[in-house]
Amino acid sequence: MSEAVKNMSDYKNDLAFDVKDLNLWYGKNQALKNIDLQIERNKVTAIIGPSGCGKSTFIKTLNRMIENIPIVKTEGEIIYDGKDIFNKSVRVEELRTKVGMVFQKPNPFPKSIYENVVYGPKIHGIKDKGLLMEITESSLKGAALWEEVKDRLNDNAYGLSGGQQQRLCIARALAVQPEIILMDEPTSALDPIATYKIEELIDELKKDYTIVIVTHSMQQAARISDKTAFFLMGELIEFDNTKKVFSNPRDKRTEDYVTGRFG
Amino acid sequence: MSYESQILEEDIDMNQKKQEKFKIEISEKRISRRIKLSRISRYIFSLSLVFAILVLVILLYRIGVDSIGWLNVNFLTGKLSIFPERAGIFSVILGSVYLTLIVIPVTLILGVSTAVYLEEYASNGKIKRIINTNISNLASVPSVIFGLLGLTVFSRMMNLGSSILAGGLTLSLLVLPIIVVSSQEAIRAVPGFLKEASLAMGATKWTTIKKVVLPVALPGILTGSILSISRAIGETAPLVVLGIPTLILTTPNSIFDDFTALPIQIYYWTLDTVLTPEYANLAAATIVVLLGVLFLMNSAAIIIRNKFQKKF
């Protein structure tokens, strides 16, 4: 690798996603309008906005999960790892291995805790039992769940509490060794204590992962994120350091929203 | 979007109702009347169950009485005969078993594959709707018509005559639409969030179907399949149309041999009671055997289903 290319890639390495002029339609309804956004590595980026502003749509575009809805049409570029993720040479399976996702409602498989964690590694071809056990332990530790479940790995995941289930889903996402974790309102179905634990976990995870989190709660965004993007009616209104967005927003609409005047 | 707006509308409805401020009066009389009604409804519903059980008991009793003395080891292991006291139904049982062995794999493989394609791969549109409607319609076509179809295609065109294979394939056709519809429903009931979880980890569509959709849907698929395959085993009309012989003195050795099956034998013996009254007893004994076979099949299938249910 030549020096120049290396420098280039170093510079690129600071960015997890470079979203360029992204437009998205559900049939004829435009849900995202000209989004330009740079998501930095090893930071927590929060996406806030009122219901129907396109924040969930946006986060699901980053790992192309949105394409499971057949009527969706996209335009523009999202550069990840030096490539446009919409490029034909990019395989979604590969992209989603690198860009993991945690959903709004905890969605463990109706299997044992162990089977849940090793689902990803197994589909990617790991068969060695010792290795799978190692992955299980490190993933569950990574999701701060190991101590609570280490004695009952073969119990059904549905026996766990909602907060534990959500951390299991995080562990399951960690098990495929992603670089980025997308979280779509991960605490909206949880009680305050479970929410607190997940927030603590996010703070821990950002050392090793890039996190993009959609949240309904502005307090949550203020507490855990480094950068905040405010979406409204499919447009990116403001994107800046979280402190700036909450204390001294540039746009009047952002101010109205973060001070609770609407939304 | 539409879901959210729906919730919103419900919220608005609730608010409007609150604003009307009607008062609920608690009257002792009304409440005790409602509790009484609730109790009576319980009896009405249990009464319908009593009716079903009563019919079954009468049937079992009649058949049981008629078969006493006729249902013995010789009857189960012997060969067919025109003399009632020498008749045995070993070859008949064998015929039904062969039929089952053809119907189960053919219908499960074709039926579940069709359901997977329609639910997971086919794009929603007019063509899929037309196909779905047609499959549902096929499920309610009388079995005689499937018999005629089997006679045309399997017996005549493919020259299978009245062999076990022709009979098995005809019964498979009869069952297939029901299995497709019930499997489709089972697959549709698999929550989308489980599929999403799998896809979001980089699984392909096929991996997701194999490891998430089918295991979760399996108990439902089996329930529908068990019921419809049991129906097929007790089906008479299509086999009559195929021209299954009345009396067969050899035991079938391969799926290309002629055969006779339990329901057919019951039918023929019942027809001939006018000539030989003892045939009624033979028919009764055969019915007991058929019910026994169905009972065994259903229990086996339920055990298999429960095993899978626990595993996933």
Side-chain angles (χ1 to χ4, degrees), chain A residues 7 30 40 46 85 105 111 126 151 185 217 235:
Chain A
N7 283 341
Q30 189 163 10
E40 291 171 42
I85 63 166
K105 222 181 103 198
K111 301 183 181 197
I126 296 174
D151 301 320
E185 297 187 35
S217 148
E235 280 176 81

Side-chain angles (χ1 to χ4, degrees), chain B residues 275-291:
Chain B
L275 305 171
T276 323
E278 287 88 352
Y279 279 167
N281 301 90
L282 289 180
T286 315
I287 291 172
V288 173
V289 173
L290 178 61
L291 288 178

Side-chain angles (χ1 to χ4, degrees), chain B residues 71-292:
Chain B
L71 186 63
N72 52 35
V73 180
N74 285 338
F75 181 70
L76 290 176
T77 55
K79 283 183 175 174
L80 281 174
S81 164
I82 48 168
F83 305 109
E85 53 283 354
R86 267 200 262 154
I89 55 162
F90 182 67
S91 59
V92 187
I93 296 173
L94 209 61
S96 275
V97 170
Y98 273 125
L99 278 183
T100 320
L101 290 181
I102 293 173
V103 172
I104 289 177
V106 169
T107 52
L108 276 186
I109 293 170
L110 281 179
V112 176
S113 308
T114 309
V116 166
Y117 176 77
L118 285 173
E119 286 306 311
E120 296 293 326
Y121 291 103
S123 52
N124 283 312
K126 219 176 185 174
I127 298 172
K128 187 179 159 182
R129 268 212 310 282
I130 293 171
I131 291 175
N132 270 335
T133 316
N134 274 305
I135 292 175
S136 308
N137 281 341
L138 275 181
S140 54
V141 167
S143 53
V144 173
I145 295 175
F146 279 102
L148 287 170
L149 180 68
L151 181 70
T152 318
V153 177
F154 302 127
S155 298
R156 301 272 163 79
M157 279 165 71
M158 290 167 68
N159 252 332
L160 294 171
S162 52
S163 64
I164 295 175
L165 190 58
L169 292 176
T170 306
L171 290 181
S172 301
L173 281 187
L174 175 75
V175 178
L176 211 46
I178 308 169
I179 291 196
V180 172
V181 171
S182 61
S183 304
Q184 267 183 293
E185 248 143 54
I187 289 169
R188 215 176 297 144
V190 176
F193 58 77
L194 291 181
K195 286 190 252 178
E196 269 190 333
S198 171
L199 291 172
M201 272 183 282
T204 57
K205 191 155 196 165
W206 167 234
T207 309
T208 305
I209 291 172
K210 192 174 62 181
K211 293 199 132 193
V212 177
V213 176
L214 287 180
V216 174
L218 197 64
I221 291 174
L222 284 181
T223 309
S225 308
I226 294 162
L227 286 174
S228 45
I229 290 172
S230 301
R231 279 285 331 244
I233 302 312
E235 198 55 74
T236 321
L239 297 180
V240 172
V241 176
L242 279 185
I244 304 302
T246 334
L247 184 64
I248 218 166
L249 297 172
T250 52
T251 40
N253 288 318
S254 83
I255 52 171
F256 299 105
D257 287 350
D258 277 359
F259 74 107
T260 178
L262 290 165
I264 286 282
Q265 206 53 48
I266 294 166
Y267 174 68
Y268 285 141
W269 268 331
T270 315
L271 271 186
D272 289 346
T273 15
V274 194
L275 305 171
T276 323
E278 287 88 352
Y279 279 167
N281 301 90
L282 289 180
T286 315
I287 291 172
V288 173
V289 173
L290 178 61
L291 288 178

Side-chain angles (χ1 to χ4, degrees), chain A residues 65 68 93 96-97 101 103 105 107-111 119-120 122-124 172, chain B residues 1 4 193-194 196-204 207-208 211-212 216 312:
Chain A
M65 281 298 279
N68 292 331
E93 288 81 10
R96 289 173 192 163
T97 311
M101 186 160 213
F103 295 85
K105 222 181 103 198
N107 58 352
F109 298 122
K111 301 183 181 197
Y119 181 89
K122 267 189 176 169
I123 61 172
H124 291 292
R172 187 175 63 182
Chain B
M1 266 301 275
E4 277 176 359
F193 58 77
L194 291 181
E196 269 190 333
S198 171
L199 291 172
M201 272 183 282
T204 57
T207 309
T208 305
K211 293 199 132 193
V212 177
V216 174
F312 206 82

